[in-house]
């Protein structure tokens, strides 16, 4: 089954404690991205990756890092989380289906930073 | 001003009603217009995809794009309780998607 997986699904942590949210896709897609979703603000792109070792900033990259060492994995790293990073995070990968590009989203990671 | 504006709702309708969901946008460069459906505790899933202006129909769903007015709509006919979800519009001029904030829809049995 084609899917995007994220772990953990829920995480409560404290300010300053480094964390990593993993993302993996099994569709051999080149393009992957991370979003955060906040009430009233919708989904905002944090970082994206066009391929292995190619990453770039989205709209809200401050406080986040990413890496793309393998095609299937695109982890999101918070080196020193702060309470304003409390949010719902989605990983997505983009592939072509029926002649059009389609984004496939993971199930989300709800992060709380105390 | 946000690039994409969407009424957050909630929109509550009885089962069988016709639902109209709308977004406005400011960037005339947008060419691809999408509607995503997001159930509670789930990631968004693509519902409809339209390129440029015009209508597209898929079962009970119809997507409309009016580029001259910078206005897109999603119509749901014969709405069902299973349609209760948040609907997000999204627009794309390259690989980047700009999302609306989503409209929460509740279809009452």
């Amino acid at each position: 089954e084609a899917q995007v997986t994220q772990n953990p699904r829920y995480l409560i942590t404290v300010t300053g404690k480094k964390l990593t949210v993993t993302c993996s896709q099994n569709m051999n897609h080149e393009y992957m991205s991370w979003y955060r979703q906040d009430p009233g603000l919708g989904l905002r792109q944090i970082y994206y990756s066009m391929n292995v070792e190619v990453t770039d900033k989205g709209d809200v990259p401050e406080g986040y890092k990413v890496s793309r060492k393998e095609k299937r994995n695109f982890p999101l790293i918070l080196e020193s989380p702060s309470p304003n990073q409390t949010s719902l995070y989605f990983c997505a990968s983009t592939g072509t289906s029926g002649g059009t590009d389609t984004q496939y989203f993971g199930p989300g990671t709800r992060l709380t930073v105390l | 001003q946000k690039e994409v504006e969407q009424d957050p709702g909630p929109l509550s309708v009885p089962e069988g009603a016709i639902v109209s969901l709308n977004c406005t946008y400011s960037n005339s460069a947008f060419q691809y217009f999408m509607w995503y459906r997001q159930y509670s505790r789930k990631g968004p899933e693509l519902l409809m995809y339209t390129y440029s202006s015009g209508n597209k129909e898929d079962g009970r769903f119809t997507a409309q794009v009016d580029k001259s007015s910078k206005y897109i709509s999603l119509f749901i006919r014969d709405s069902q309780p299973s349609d209760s979800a948040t609907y997000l519009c999204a627009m794309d001029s390259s690989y980047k998607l700009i999302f609306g904030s989503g409209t929460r829809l509740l279809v009452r049995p």
Side-chain angles (χ1 to χ4, degrees), chain A residues 9-10 31 35 37-38 40-45 50 58-59 88 90 94 100-108 110, chain B residues 2-3 8 32 34 36 38-39 41-46 49 51 56 86 88 92 94-102:
Chain A
R9 294 291 313 279
Y10 301 91
Y31 186 89
Y35 292 87
Q37 187 175 34
D38 302 289
L41 297 176
L43 283 155
R44 294 177 293 168
Q45 191 181 56
M50 300 285 281
D59 294 319
L88 181 57
F90 289 101
T94 302
T100 59
D101 287 334
T102 301
Q103 284 216 354
Y104 298 86
F105 283 85
R110 186 166 291 281
Chain B
K2 293 180 185 175
E3 278 192 283
Y32 300 90
M34 286 143 278
Y36 283 79
Q38 185 177 17
Y39 290 114
R41 303 194 201 299
K42 300 281 188 182
E45 56 179 342
L46 184 65
Y49 182 111
Y51 173 71
K56 186 173 184 179
T86 297
L88 302 128
D92 177 21
S94 60
Y95 267 115
K96 182 177 174 180
L97 283 184
I98 308 294
F99 284 87
S101 55

CSV table of all heavy atoms in Angstrom, one decimal, chain A residues 9-10 31 35 37-38 40-45 50 58-59 88 90 94 100-108 110, chain B residues 2-3 8 32 34 36 38-39 41-46 49 51 56 86 88 92 94-102:
chain,number,residue,atom,x,y,z
A,9,ARG,N,3.5,9.8,16.5
A,9,ARG,CA,2.2,10.5,16.2
A,9,ARG,C,1.9,11.6,17.2
A,9,ARG,O,1.3,12.6,16.9
A,9,ARG,CB,1.1,9.5,16.2
A,9,ARG,CG,1.2,8.4,15.1
A,9,ARG,CD,0.9,9.0,13.7
A,9,ARG,NE,-0.3,9.9,13.7
A,9,ARG,CZ,-1.5,9.5,13.6
A,9,ARG,NH1,-1.8,8.2,13.5
A,9,ARG,NH2,-2.5,10.4,13.6
A,10,TYR,N,2.3,11.4,18.5
A,10,TYR,CA,2.1,12.3,19.5
A,10,TYR,C,3.4,12.5,20.3
A,10,TYR,O,4.1,11.5,20.6
A,10,TYR,CB,1.0,11.9,20.5
A,10,TYR,CG,-0.3,11.7,19.8
A,10,TYR,CD1,-0.7,10.4,19.3
A,10,TYR,CD2,-1.2,12.7,19.6
A,10,TYR,CE1,-1.9,10.2,18.6
A,10,TYR,CE2,-2.4,12.5,19.0
A,10,TYR,CZ,-2.8,11.3,18.5
A,10,TYR,OH,-3.9,11.1,17.8
A,31,TYR,N,10.1,14.3,-4.5
A,31,TYR,CA,9.8,15.6,-3.8
A,31,TYR,C,9.1,15.2,-2.5
A,31,TYR,O,8.1,14.5,-2.5
A,31,TYR,CB,8.9,16.4,-4.7
A,31,TYR,CG,8.6,17.8,-4.1
A,31,TYR,CD1,9.5,18.9,-4.3
A,31,TYR,CD2,7.5,18.0,-3.3
A,31,TYR,CE1,9.2,20.1,-3.8
A,31,TYR,CE2,7.2,19.3,-2.8
A,31,TYR,CZ,8.1,20.3,-3.0
A,31,TYR,OH,7.8,21.6,-2.5
A,35,TYR,N,5.1,20.3,6.6
A,35,TYR,CA,4.1,21.4,6.9
A,35,TYR,C,3.8,21.4,8.4
A,35,TYR,O,3.9,20.4,9.1
A,35,TYR,CB,2.8,21.2,6.2
A,35,TYR,CG,2.9,21.3,4.7
A,35,TYR,CD1,3.2,20.2,3.9
A,35,TYR,CD2,2.6,22.5,4.0
A,35,TYR,CE1,3.3,20.3,2.5
A,35,TYR,CE2,2.7,22.6,2.6
A,35,TYR,CZ,3.0,21.5,1.9
A,35,TYR,OH,3.0,21.6,0.5
A,37,GLN,N,0.5,22.8,10.8
A,37,GLN,CA,-0.9,23.2,10.7
A,37,GLN,C,-1.3,23.8,12.0
A,37,GLN,O,-1.3,23.2,13.1
A,37,GLN,CB,-1.8,22.1,10.3
A,37,GLN,CG,-3.2,22.5,10.0
A,37,GLN,CD,-4.1,21.3,9.6
A,37,GLN,OE1,-3.9,20.2,10.0
A,37,GLN,NE2,-5.0,21.6,8.7
A,38,ASP,N,-1.7,25.1,12.0
A,38,ASP,CA,-2.1,25.8,13.2
A,38,ASP,C,-3.5,26.4,12.9
A,38,ASP,O,-3.8,26.8,11.8
A,38,ASP,CB,-1.1,26.9,13.5
A,38,ASP,CG,0.3,26.4,13.7
A,38,ASP,OD1,0.5,25.7,14.7
A,38,ASP,OD2,1.1,26.6,12.8
A,40,GLY,N,-6.5,28.6,12.2
A,40,GLY,CA,-6.6,29.9,11.6
A,40,GLY,C,-5.5,30.2,10.6
A,40,GLY,O,-5.6,31.2,9.8
A,41,LEU,N,-4.5,29.4,10.5
A,41,LEU,CA,-3.4,29.7,9.7
A,41,LEU,C,-3.2,28.6,8.6
A,41,LEU,O,-2.5,28.8,7.6
A,41,LEU,CB,-2.1,29.8,10.5
A,41,LEU,CG,-2.0,30.9,11.5
A,41,LEU,CD1,-0.7,30.8,12.3
A,41,LEU,CD2,-2.1,32.2,10.8
A,42,GLY,N,-3.9,27.5,8.7
A,42,GLY,CA,-3.8,26.5,7.7
A,42,GLY,C,-2.5,25.8,7.7
A,42,GLY,O,-1.8,25.8,8.7
A,43,LEU,N,-2.2,25.2,6.6
A,43,LEU,CA,-0.9,24.4,6.4
A,43,LEU,C,0.1,25.4,5.9
A,43,LEU,O,-0.1,26.0,4.9
A,43,LEU,CB,-1.1,23.3,5.5
A,43,LEU,CG,-1.8,22.1,6.0
A,43,LEU,CD1,-2.5,21.3,4.9
A,43,LEU,CD2,-0.8,21.2,6.8
A,44,ARG,N,1.3,25.4,6.5
A,44,ARG,CA,2.4,26.2,6.1
A,44,ARG,C,3.6,25.4,5.9
A,44,ARG,O,4.0,24.6,6.7
A,44,ARG,CB,2.7,27.4,7.1
A,44,ARG,CG,1.5,28.4,7.2
A,44,ARG,CD,1.8,29.4,8.2
A,44,ARG,NE,1.9,28.9,9.5
A,44,ARG,CZ,2.3,29.5,10.6
A,44,ARG,NH1,2.9,30.7,10.5
A,44,ARG,NH2,2.3,28.9,11.8
A,45,GLN,N,4.3,25.6,4.8
A,45,GLN,CA,5.4,24.7,4.4
A,45,GLN,C,6.7,25.1,5.2
A,45,GLN,O,7.0,26.3,5.3
A,45,GLN,CB,5.7,24.8,2.9
A,45,GLN,CG,6.7,23.7,2.5
A,45,GLN,CD,7.0,23.9,1.0
A,45,GLN,OE1,7.4,24.9,0.5
A,45,GLN,NE2,6.7,22.8,0.2
A,50,MET,N,13.8,18.4,-3.1
A,50,MET,CA,13.5,18.0,-4.5
A,50,MET,C,14.1,16.6,-4.8
A,50,MET,O,13.7,16.0,-5.7
A,50,MET,CB,14.1,19.0,-5.4
A,50,MET,CG,13.6,20.4,-5.2
A,50,MET,SD,11.9,20.6,-5.9
A,50,MET,CE,12.3,20.8,-7.7
A,58,GLY,N,11.0,26.5,3.2
A,58,GLY,CA,9.7,26.9,2.8
A,58,GLY,C,9.4,28.2,3.4
A,58,GLY,O,10.2,29.1,3.5
A,59,ASP,N,8.1,28.4,3.9
A,59,ASP,CA,7.7,29.7,4.4
A,59,ASP,C,8.0,29.9,5.8
A,59,ASP,O,8.2,31.1,6.2
A,59,ASP,CB,6.1,29.8,4.2
A,59,ASP,CG,5.7,29.8,2.8
A,59,ASP,OD1,6.4,30.5,2.0
A,59,ASP,OD2,4.7,29.1,2.4
A,88,LEU,N,0.7,20.9,14.9
A,88,LEU,CA,0.4,19.6,14.2
A,88,LEU,C,1.3,19.6,12.9
A,88,LEU,O,1.2,20.5,12.1
A,88,LEU,CB,-1.1,19.5,13.8
A,88,LEU,CG,-1.5,18.2,13.2
A,88,LEU,CD1,-1.2,17.0,14.0
A,88,LEU,CD2,-3.0,18.3,12.9
A,90,PHE,N,2.8,17.8,9.5
A,90,PHE,CA,2.5,16.8,8.4
A,90,PHE,C,3.7,16.7,7.5
A,90,PHE,O,4.3,17.7,7.0
A,90,PHE,CB,1.3,17.2,7.6
A,90,PHE,CG,0.0,17.0,8.3
A,90,PHE,CD1,-0.6,18.1,8.9
A,90,PHE,CD2,-0.6,15.8,8.5
A,90,PHE,CE1,-1.8,17.9,9.6
A,90,PHE,CE2,-1.8,15.6,9.1
A,90,PHE,CZ,-2.4,16.7,9.7
A,94,THR,N,5.3,14.0,-3.0
A,94,THR,CA,4.6,14.4,-4.2
A,94,THR,C,5.0,13.5,-5.4
A,94,THR,O,6.1,13.3,-5.6
A,94,THR,CB,4.9,15.8,-4.6
A,94,THR,OG1,4.5,16.7,-3.5
A,94,THR,CG2,4.1,16.2,-5.9
A,100,THR,N,-1.2,14.2,-13.3
A,100,THR,CA,-1.1,15.4,-12.4
A,100,THR,C,-0.3,15.1,-11.2
A,100,THR,O,-0.2,13.9,-10.7
A,100,THR,CB,-2.5,15.9,-12.0
A,100,THR,OG1,-3.1,14.8,-11.3
A,100,THR,CG2,-3.3,16.3,-13.2
A,101,ASP,N,0.3,16.1,-10.6
A,101,ASP,CA,1.1,16.0,-9.4
A,101,ASP,C,0.1,15.9,-8.2
A,101,ASP,O,-0.7,16.8,-8.1
A,101,ASP,CB,2.1,17.1,-9.2
A,101,ASP,CG,3.3,17.0,-10.2
A,101,ASP,OD1,3.6,15.9,-10.6
A,101,ASP,OD2,3.8,18.1,-10.5
A,102,THR,N,0.3,15.0,-7.4
A,102,THR,CA,-0.5,14.8,-6.2
A,102,THR,C,0.3,14.7,-5.0
A,102,THR,O,1.4,14.0,-4.9
A,102,THR,CB,-1.3,13.5,-6.3
A,102,THR,OG1,-2.1,13.6,-7.5
A,102,THR,CG2,-2.3,13.3,-5.1
A,103,GLN,N,0.0,15.4,-3.9
A,103,GLN,CA,0.7,15.3,-2.6
A,103,GLN,C,0.0,14.3,-1.8
A,103,GLN,O,-1.3,14.3,-1.6
A,103,GLN,CB,0.6,16.7,-1.9
A,103,GLN,CG,1.6,17.7,-2.5
A,103,GLN,CD,2.2,18.6,-1.4
A,103,GLN,OE1,1.9,18.5,-0.3
A,103,GLN,NE2,3.2,19.4,-1.8
A,104,TYR,N,0.8,13.4,-1.2
A,104,TYR,CA,0.3,12.4,-0.3
A,104,TYR,C,0.8,12.8,1.1
A,104,TYR,O,2.0,12.9,1.3
A,104,TYR,CB,0.8,11.0,-0.7
A,104,TYR,CG,0.3,10.6,-2.0
A,104,TYR,CD1,1.0,10.9,-3.2
A,104,TYR,CD2,-0.8,9.8,-2.2
A,104,TYR,CE1,0.6,10.5,-4.4
A,104,TYR,CE2,-1.3,9.4,-3.4
A,104,TYR,CZ,-0.5,9.7,-4.5
A,104,TYR,OH,-0.9,9.3,-5.8
A,105,PHE,N,-0.2,13.0,2.0
A,105,PHE,CA,0.2,13.4,3.4
A,105,PHE,C,0.3,12.2,4.3
A,105,PHE,O,-0.5,11.2,4.2
A,105,PHE,CB,-0.9,14.4,3.9
A,105,PHE,CG,-0.7,15.8,3.3
A,105,PHE,CD1,-1.3,16.1,2.1
A,105,PHE,CD2,0.0,16.7,4.0
A,105,PHE,CE1,-1.2,17.3,1.5
A,105,PHE,CE2,0.1,18.0,3.4
A,105,PHE,CZ,-0.5,18.3,2.2
A,106,GLY,N,1.2,12.4,5.3
A,106,GLY,CA,1.3,11.4,6.4
A,106,GLY,C,0.1,11.7,7.4
A,106,GLY,O,-0.7,12.6,7.2
A,107,PRO,N,0.0,10.9,8.4
A,107,PRO,CA,-1.1,11.0,9.4
A,107,PRO,C,-0.9,12.1,10.4
A,107,PRO,O,-1.9,12.4,11.1
A,107,PRO,CB,-1.1,9.6,10.1
A,107,PRO,CG,0.4,9.2,10.0
A,107,PRO,CD,0.9,9.7,8.7
A,108,GLY,N,0.2,12.7,10.4
A,108,GLY,CA,0.4,13.9,11.3
A,108,GLY,C,1.1,13.5,12.6
A,108,GLY,O,1.0,12.4,13.1
A,110,ARG,N,1.4,15.3,16.4
A,110,ARG,CA,1.0,16.4,17.3
A,110,ARG,C,2.1,16.6,18.3
A,110,ARG,O,2.3,15.8,19.1
A,110,ARG,CB,-0.4,16.1,17.9
A,110,ARG,CG,-0.9,17.3,18.7
A,110,ARG,CD,-2.3,17.1,19.1
A,110,ARG,NE,-3.3,17.2,18.0
A,110,ARG,CZ,-3.7,18.3,17.4
A,110,ARG,NH1,-3.2,19.5,17.8
A,110,ARG,NH2,-4.5,18.3,16.4
B,2,LYS,N,-3.7,37.6,3.4
B,2,LYS,CA,-3.3,36.2,3.1
B,2,LYS,C,-3.4,36.0,1.6
B,2,LYS,O,-4.3,36.6,0.9
B,2,LYS,CB,-4.1,35.2,3.8
B,2,LYS,CG,-3.9,35.2,5.3
B,2,LYS,CD,-4.8,34.1,5.9
B,2,LYS,CE,-4.7,34.1,7.4
B,2,LYS,NZ,-5.7,33.1,8.0
B,3,GLU,N,-2.5,35.1,1.0
B,3,GLU,CA,-2.6,34.8,-0.4
B,3,GLU,C,-3.9,34.1,-0.7
B,3,GLU,O,-4.5,34.2,-1.8
B,3,GLU,CB,-1.4,34.0,-0.8
B,3,GLU,CG,-0.2,34.8,-1.1
B,3,GLU,CD,0.9,34.0,-1.8
B,3,GLU,OE1,1.5,33.2,-1.1
B,3,GLU,OE2,1.0,34.1,-3.0
B,8,PRO,N,-13.5,29.9,7.8
B,8,PRO,CA,-13.3,28.7,8.7
B,8,PRO,C,-14.5,27.9,9.1
B,8,PRO,O,-14.4,26.8,9.5
B,8,PRO,CB,-12.6,29.3,9.9
B,8,PRO,CG,-13.1,30.7,10.0
B,8,PRO,CD,-13.3,31.2,8.5
B,32,TYR,N,-2.9,25.9,-10.7
B,32,TYR,CA,-3.5,24.6,-10.3
B,32,TYR,C,-4.3,24.9,-9.0
B,32,TYR,O,-3.8,25.5,-8.1
B,32,TYR,CB,-2.4,23.6,-10.0
B,32,TYR,CG,-1.5,23.3,-11.3
B,32,TYR,CD1,-0.4,24.0,-11.5
B,32,TYR,CD2,-1.9,22.3,-12.1
B,32,TYR,CE1,0.4,23.7,-12.6
B,32,TYR,CE2,-1.1,22.0,-13.3
B,32,TYR,CZ,0.0,22.7,-13.5
B,32,TYR,OH,0.8,22.5,-14.6
B,34,MET,N,-6.7,23.0,-6.1
B,34,MET,CA,-7.0,21.7,-5.5
B,34,MET,C,-7.9,21.9,-4.3
B,34,MET,O,-7.9,22.9,-3.6
B,34,MET,CB,-5.7,21.0,-5.0
B,34,MET,CG,-4.9,20.5,-6.1
B,34,MET,SD,-3.1,20.7,-5.8
B,34,MET,CE,-2.9,22.3,-6.3
B,36,TYR,N,-8.7,19.6,-0.8
B,36,TYR,CA,-8.3,18.5,0.1
B,36,TYR,C,-9.4,18.4,1.1
B,36,TYR,O,-10.0,19.3,1.6
B,36,TYR,CB,-7.0,18.8,0.8
B,36,TYR,CG,-5.7,18.6,-0.1
B,36,TYR,CD1,-5.4,19.6,-1.0
B,36,TYR,CD2,-5.0,17.4,0.0
B,36,TYR,CE1,-4.2,19.4,-1.8
B,36,TYR,CE2,-3.9,17.2,-0.8
B,36,TYR,CZ,-3.5,18.2,-1.7
B,36,TYR,OH,-2.4,18.1,-2.5
B,38,GLN,N,-9.9,16.7,5.0
B,38,GLN,CA,-9.2,16.3,6.1
B,38,GLN,C,-10.1,15.9,7.2
B,38,GLN,O,-10.9,16.7,7.8
B,38,GLN,CB,-8.3,17.4,6.6
B,38,GLN,CG,-7.3,17.0,7.8
B,38,GLN,CD,-6.4,18.1,8.2
B,38,GLN,OE1,-6.6,19.3,7.9
B,38,GLN,NE2,-5.3,17.7,8.9
B,39,TYR,N,-10.1,14.6,7.5
B,39,TYR,CA,-10.9,14.1,8.6
B,39,TYR,C,-10.1,14.3,9.9
B,39,TYR,O,-8.9,14.4,9.9
B,39,TYR,CB,-11.2,12.6,8.5
B,39,TYR,CG,-12.2,12.3,7.3
B,39,TYR,CD1,-11.8,11.6,6.2
B,39,TYR,CD2,-13.5,12.7,7.4
B,39,TYR,CE1,-12.7,11.3,5.2
B,39,TYR,CE2,-14.4,12.4,6.4
B,39,TYR,CZ,-14.0,11.7,5.3
B,39,TYR,OH,-14.9,11.4,4.3
B,41,ARG,N,-8.0,14.0,13.0
B,41,ARG,CA,-6.9,13.2,13.4
B,41,ARG,C,-6.3,12.4,12.2
B,41,ARG,O,-5.6,11.4,12.3
B,41,ARG,CB,-7.2,12.1,14.4
B,41,ARG,CG,-7.8,12.7,15.7
B,41,ARG,CD,-7.8,11.6,16.8
B,41,ARG,NE,-8.7,11.8,17.9
B,41,ARG,CZ,-8.7,12.8,18.7
B,41,ARG,NH1,-7.9,13.8,18.6
B,41,ARG,NH2,-9.6,13.0,19.7
B,42,LYS,N,-6.5,13.0,11.0
B,42,LYS,CA,-5.9,12.4,9.8
B,42,LYS,C,-5.2,13.5,9.0
B,42,LYS,O,-5.4,14.7,9.2
B,42,LYS,CB,-7.0,11.8,8.9
B,42,LYS,CG,-7.8,10.7,9.6
B,42,LYS,CD,-7.0,9.4,9.6
B,42,LYS,CE,-7.9,8.3,10.0
B,42,LYS,NZ,-7.2,7.0,10.1
B,43,GLY,N,-4.3,13.1,8.0
B,43,GLY,CA,-3.7,14.0,7.1
B,43,GLY,C,-4.7,14.4,6.0
B,43,GLY,O,-5.6,13.6,5.7
B,44,PRO,N,-4.5,15.5,5.3
B,44,PRO,CA,-5.3,15.9,4.2
B,44,PRO,C,-5.2,14.9,3.1
B,44,PRO,O,-4.1,14.3,2.9
B,44,PRO,CB,-4.8,17.2,3.8
B,44,PRO,CG,-4.0,17.7,5.0
B,44,PRO,CD,-3.5,16.5,5.6
B,45,GLU,N,-6.3,14.7,2.3
B,45,GLU,CA,-6.2,13.8,1.2
B,45,GLU,C,-6.8,14.6,0.0
B,45,GLU,O,-7.8,15.3,0.1
B,45,GLU,CB,-7.0,12.5,1.4
B,45,GLU,CG,-8.4,12.7,1.8
B,45,GLU,CD,-9.2,11.4,2.0
B,45,GLU,OE1,-8.7,10.4,1.5
B,45,GLU,OE2,-10.2,11.4,2.7
B,46,LEU,N,-6.2,14.4,-1.2
B,46,LEU,CA,-6.7,15.2,-2.3
B,46,LEU,C,-8.0,14.7,-2.8
B,46,LEU,O,-8.3,13.5,-3.0
B,46,LEU,CB,-5.7,15.0,-3.5
B,46,LEU,CG,-6.0,15.8,-4.8
B,46,LEU,CD1,-5.8,17.2,-4.5
B,46,LEU,CD2,-5.0,15.3,-5.9
B,49,TYR,N,-8.9,18.2,-8.3
B,49,TYR,CA,-7.8,18.9,-8.9
B,49,TYR,C,-8.2,19.6,-10.2
B,49,TYR,O,-8.8,18.9,-11.1
B,49,TYR,CB,-6.7,17.9,-9.2
B,49,TYR,CG,-5.4,18.4,-9.7
B,49,TYR,CD1,-4.2,18.4,-8.9
B,49,TYR,CD2,-5.3,18.9,-11.0
B,49,TYR,CE1,-3.0,18.9,-9.4
B,49,TYR,CE2,-4.1,19.3,-11.5
B,49,TYR,CZ,-2.9,19.3,-10.7
B,49,TYR,OH,-1.7,19.8,-11.2
B,51,TYR,N,-7.1,22.4,-13.3
B,51,TYR,CA,-6.0,23.3,-13.9
B,51,TYR,C,-6.7,24.4,-14.6
B,51,TYR,O,-7.6,24.2,-15.4
B,51,TYR,CB,-5.2,22.5,-14.9
B,51,TYR,CG,-4.2,23.4,-15.7
B,51,TYR,CD1,-3.1,23.9,-15.1
B,51,TYR,CD2,-4.4,23.7,-17.1
B,51,TYR,CE1,-2.2,24.7,-15.8
B,51,TYR,CE2,-3.5,24.5,-17.7
B,51,TYR,CZ,-2.4,25.0,-17.1
B,51,TYR,OH,-1.6,25.8,-17.8
B,56,LYS,N,-15.0,21.0,-13.0
B,56,LYS,CA,-14.7,19.6,-13.0
B,56,LYS,C,-15.6,18.9,-12.1
B,56,LYS,O,-15.8,19.3,-11.0
B,56,LYS,CB,-13.2,19.4,-12.6
B,56,LYS,CG,-12.7,18.0,-12.8
B,56,LYS,CD,-11.3,17.9,-12.5
B,56,LYS,CE,-10.7,16.6,-12.7
B,56,LYS,NZ,-9.2,16.5,-12.4
B,86,THR,N,-13.0,18.7,7.5
B,86,THR,CA,-12.5,20.1,7.1
B,86,THR,C,-12.0,20.0,5.7
B,86,THR,O,-11.3,19.1,5.3
B,86,THR,CB,-11.3,20.5,8.0
B,86,THR,OG1,-11.8,20.6,9.4
B,86,THR,CG2,-10.7,21.8,7.6
B,88,LEU,N,-10.0,21.9,2.7
B,88,LEU,CA,-8.9,22.9,2.5
B,88,LEU,C,-8.7,23.1,1.0
B,88,LEU,O,-8.6,22.2,0.2
B,88,LEU,CB,-7.6,22.4,3.0
B,88,LEU,CG,-7.5,22.1,4.5
B,88,LEU,CD1,-7.0,20.7,4.7
B,88,LEU,CD2,-6.7,23.1,5.2
B,92,ASP,N,-1.3,26.2,-6.5
B,92,ASP,CA,0.1,25.8,-6.8
B,92,ASP,C,0.5,26.5,-8.1
B,92,ASP,O,-0.2,26.4,-9.1
B,92,ASP,CB,0.2,24.3,-6.9
B,92,ASP,CG,1.5,23.8,-7.3
B,92,ASP,OD1,2.5,24.5,-7.1
B,92,ASP,OD2,1.6,22.7,-7.8
B,94,SER,N,4.0,26.2,-8.8
B,94,SER,CA,5.2,25.4,-9.1
B,94,SER,C,5.1,24.1,-8.2
B,94,SER,O,4.0,23.5,-8.2
B,94,SER,CB,6.5,26.2,-8.7
B,94,SER,OG,6.5,26.5,-7.3
B,95,TYR,N,6.1,23.8,-7.4
B,95,TYR,CA,6.0,22.6,-6.5
B,95,TYR,C,5.4,23.0,-5.2
B,95,TYR,O,5.2,22.2,-4.3
B,95,TYR,CB,7.3,22.0,-6.3
B,95,TYR,CG,7.6,20.8,-7.3
B,95,TYR,CD1,8.6,20.9,-8.2
B,95,TYR,CD2,6.8,19.7,-7.2
B,95,TYR,CE1,8.8,19.9,-9.1
B,95,TYR,CE2,7.0,18.6,-8.1
B,95,TYR,CZ,8.1,18.7,-9.0
B,95,TYR,OH,8.3,17.7,-9.9
B,96,LYS,N,5.2,24.3,-5.0
B,96,LYS,CA,4.8,24.8,-3.7
B,96,LYS,C,3.3,25.0,-3.6
B,96,LYS,O,2.7,25.5,-4.5
B,96,LYS,CB,5.5,26.1,-3.4
B,96,LYS,CG,5.2,26.7,-2.0
B,96,LYS,CD,6.0,28.0,-1.9
B,96,LYS,CE,5.6,28.7,-0.6
B,96,LYS,NZ,6.4,29.9,-0.4
B,97,LEU,N,2.7,24.5,-2.6
B,97,LEU,CA,1.3,24.6,-2.4
B,97,LEU,C,1.0,25.7,-1.3
B,97,LEU,O,1.6,25.7,-0.3
B,97,LEU,CB,0.6,23.3,-1.9
B,97,LEU,CG,0.4,22.2,-2.9
B,97,LEU,CD1,-0.3,21.0,-2.2
B,97,LEU,CD2,-0.4,22.7,-4.1
B,98,ILE,N,0.0,26.5,-1.6
B,98,ILE,CA,-0.4,27.5,-0.7
B,98,ILE,C,-1.8,27.1,-0.3
B,98,ILE,O,-2.7,27.0,-1.1
B,98,ILE,CB,-0.5,28.9,-1.2
B,98,ILE,CG1,0.9,29.3,-1.9
B,98,ILE,CG2,-0.9,29.9,-0.2
B,98,ILE,CD1,2.0,29.4,-0.9
B,99,PHE,N,-2.0,26.9,1.0
B,99,PHE,CA,-3.3,26.3,1.5
B,99,PHE,C,-4.2,27.4,2.1
B,99,PHE,O,-3.6,28.4,2.7
B,99,PHE,CB,-3.1,25.3,2.6
B,99,PHE,CG,-2.6,24.0,2.1
B,99,PHE,CD1,-1.3,23.7,1.9
B,99,PHE,CD2,-3.5,23.0,1.8
B,99,PHE,CE1,-0.8,22.5,1.4
B,99,PHE,CE2,-3.1,21.7,1.3
B,99,PHE,CZ,-1.8,21.5,1.1
B,100,GLY,N,-5.5,27.3,2.0
B,100,GLY,CA,-6.4,28.1,2.8
B,100,GLY,C,-6.4,27.5,4.2
B,100,GLY,O,-5.9,26.4,4.4
B,101,SER,N,-7.0,28.2,5.1
B,101,SER,CA,-7.0,27.7,6.5
B,101,SER,C,-8.1,26.6,6.7
B,101,SER,O,-8.0,26.0,7.8
B,101,SER,CB,-7.3,28.9,7.4
B,101,SER,OG,-8.5,29.5,7.1
B,102,GLY,N,-8.9,26.3,5.8
B,102,GLY,CA,-9.9,25.2,5.9
B,102,GLY,C,-11.2,25.6,6.4
B,102,GLY,O,-11.3,26.6,7.2
